[in-house]
């Protein structure tokens, strides 16, 4: 590497490292857009401690509540979905039968509107934010239009058995390759909607992530890429690699390529930092194939990857909710549809 490129590389690392110090929990989400709008979304879930995930099948017609008291919004699920939970209190990730994916990531800068239990404004627990989208919409555009009406506000609270306040942002993607990112900043909902917004990590805010990417676009990825576990570095690597992998309609190659990208943005197991809590071990990864309606899951504590085929699921309103237990670290292989067992639906954490 010549001296000028070396200077640029070192300067960029120093800038990113010094500017964004106060992160919280870490994750990465990246969307692949292949030929004929073939779309795949991958995400990693990074957390300092074990999360205890489970995967659920939710049918249509489920009665839902915003779980924030008498001012909670109410709805019935229009679409069935396959989702992953955290501690069976929150939907963190999922794909619905129309090919819409939702992913929740941490954003320390989040600030939500004031919510009064006896006020006039309707509320939705942040634990059901992703599920609300999966239940109600087939496309990103539909979801964006609904959120712009401001029919309710998202309400957050402390994490279970913790004094840490949950601060999250939501990303969604659909089978056309469309993307939207929802953030609450200074009490206001900010929506970023574009097919170009195919990568998201944690801090800083998404607008600042785009500014960082603009800087790195001037540096060839084959010469220099930021290599740390910090959110901004993962954002740059994911943005470069998702454009570098094979552009193909071959399902096996496309899915494998996306797993390779999200693994590259993962944090090795057992790694964490007390001074920079955004650096936390990757606990699991998911890949959502929007076109073929397959939801892939890979835990770092089990030796293989498995998937759920949504096309083989009956999401009719008369069907029962089903659960695939992962919190016991049981190993599943290949298509796992038949391993689900009927279970009463969990209750979303609220107020």
């Amino acid at each position: 590497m010549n001296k000028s490129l070396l200077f640029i590389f070192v300067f960029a690392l120093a800038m990113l490292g010094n500017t964004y110090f106060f992160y919280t929990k870490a994750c990465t989400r990246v969307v692949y857009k292949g030929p004929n709008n073939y779309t795949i979304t991958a995400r990693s879930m990074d957390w300092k401690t074990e999360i205890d995930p489970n995967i659920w099948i939710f049918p249509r017609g489920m009665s839902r509540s915003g779980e924030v008291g008498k001012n909670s919004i109410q709805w019935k699920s229009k679409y069935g979905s396959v989702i992953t939970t955290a501690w069976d209190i929150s939907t963190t990730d999922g794909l619905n039968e129309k090919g819409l994916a939702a992913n929740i990531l941490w954003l320390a800068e989040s600030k939500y509107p004031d919510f009064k239990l006896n006020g006039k404004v309707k509320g939705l627990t942040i634990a059901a934010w992703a599920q609300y989208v999966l239940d109600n919409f087939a496309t990103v555009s539909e979801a964006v239009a609904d959120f712009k009406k401001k029919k309710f506000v998202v309400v957050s609270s402390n994490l279970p058995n913790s004094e840490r306040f949950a601060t999250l942002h939501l990303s969604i993607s659909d089978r056309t390759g469309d993307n939207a990112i929802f953030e609450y900043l200074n009490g206001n909902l900010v929506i970023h909607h574009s097919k170009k917004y195919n990568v998201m990590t944690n801090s800083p805010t998404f607008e600042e992530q785009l500014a960082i990417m603009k800087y790195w676009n001037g540096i060839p990825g084959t010469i220099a890429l930021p290599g740390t576990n910090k959110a901004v570095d993962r954002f740059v690597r994911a943005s470069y690699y998702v454009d570098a992998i094979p552009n193909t309609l071959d399902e096996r190659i496309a899915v494998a390529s996306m797993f390779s990208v999200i693994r590259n943005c993962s944090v090795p197991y057992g790694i964490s930092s007390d001074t920079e809590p955004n650096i936390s071990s990757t606990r699991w990864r998911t890949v959502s194939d929007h076109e073929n309606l397959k939801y892939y899951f890979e835990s770092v504590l089990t030796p293989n990857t498995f998937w759920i085929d949504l096309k083989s699921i009956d999401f009719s309103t008369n069907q029962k909710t089903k659960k695939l237990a992962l919190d016991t670290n049981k190993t599943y292989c290949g298509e796992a549809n038949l391993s689900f067992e009927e279970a009463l639906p969990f209750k979303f954490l609220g107020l």
Side-chain angles (χ1 to χ4, degrees), residues 27-28 43-46 227-229 234 237 259-269 271 280-285 298 300:
C27 303
T28 304
R43 73 85 51 87
S44 64
M45 172 60 80
D46 303 351
T228 77
N229 294 323
R234 288 183 276 108
R237 290 204 306 280
F259 263 113
S260 69
V261 171
I262 203 63
R263 287 167 185 153
N264 183 276
C265 299
S266 297
V267 180
Y269 188 78
I271 301 295
S280 300
S281 298
T282 296
R283 301 291 166 176
W284 45 261
R285 290 172 283 262
E298 178 182 74
V300 300

Side-chain angles (χ1 to χ4, degrees), residues 102-105 129-130 133 147 168-172 180-182 200:
N103 314 101
I104 289 288
L105 284 74
W129 197 6
V133 171
F147 275 91
L168 308 170
H169 53 172
L170 168 69
S171 69
I172 60 176
I181 292 163
F182 303 87
M200 186 177 84

Side-chain angles (χ1 to χ4, degrees), residues 37-242:
N37 287 326
Y38 182 24
T39 305
I40 300 174
T41 298
R43 73 85 51 87
S44 64
M45 172 60 80
D46 303 351
W47 204 260
K48 189 173 182 179
T49 58
E50 297 296 342
I51 276 189
D52 294 334
N54 289 305
I55 299 179
W56 291 76
I57 294 174
F58 287 145
R60 307 177 205 117
M62 294 186 68
S63 297
R64 305 284 201 189
S65 167
E67 300 296 349
V68 290
K70 69 177 185 179
N71 281 338
S72 299
I73 62 168
Q74 309 288 331
W75 75 94
K76 280 193 175 184
S77 58
K78 185 177 180 180
Y79 303 112
S81 59
V82 172
I83 63 100
T84 299
T85 62
W87 303 290
D88 277 352
I89 59 169
S90 172
T91 295
T92 62
D93 189 78
L95 179 69
N96 74 12
E97 60 179 308
K98 293 298 183 179
L100 181 70
N103 314 101
I104 289 288
L105 284 74
W106 197 271
L107 179 65
E109 291 85 353
S110 300
K111 185 177 181 181
Y112 304 96
D114 292 331
F115 176 76
K116 294 180 175 57
L117 290 173
N118 296 317
K120 296 181 179 180
V121 178
K122 296 291 184 180
L124 168 69
T125 173
I126 198 168
W129 197 6
Q131 193 62 54
Y132 175 84
V133 171
L134 295 173
D135 283 353
N136 288 291
F137 309 113
T139 67
V140 168
S141 292
E142 288 179 11
V144 169
D146 183 81
F147 275 91
K148 284 183 176 179
K149 296 176 182 177
K150 298 182 178 180
K151 297 183 294 186
F152 61 88
V153 297
V154 169
V155 182
S156 191
S157 59
N158 288 353
L159 295 173
N161 304 315
S162 170
E163 295 183 358
R164 184 176 293 278
F165 192 75
T167 52
L168 308 170
H169 53 172
L170 168 69
S171 69
I172 60 176
S173 47
D174 64 26
R175 63 196 311 164
T176 71
D178 201 6
N179 295 274
I181 292 163
F182 303 87
E183 299 177 336
Y184 275 96
L185 305 175
N186 297 317
N188 297 309
L189 178 62
V190 177
I191 303 174
H192 300 274
H193 179 200
S194 172
K195 288 188 175 183
K196 297 179 181 179
Y197 299 154
N198 64 325
V199 178
M200 186 177 84
T201 54
N202 314 107
S203 299
T205 62
F206 187 69
E207 184 174 354
E208 292 182 40
Q209 290 182 36
L210 293 176
I212 293 168
M213 193 62 230
K214 185 176 181 180
Y215 170 85
W216 277 99
N217 280 338
I219 302 173
T222 53
I223 295 176
L225 281 175
T228 77
N229 294 323
K230 292 180 179 180
V232 286
D233 287 10
R234 288 183 276 108
F235 183 91
V236 174
R237 290 204 306 280
S239 297
Y240 170 74
Y241 283 124
V242 76

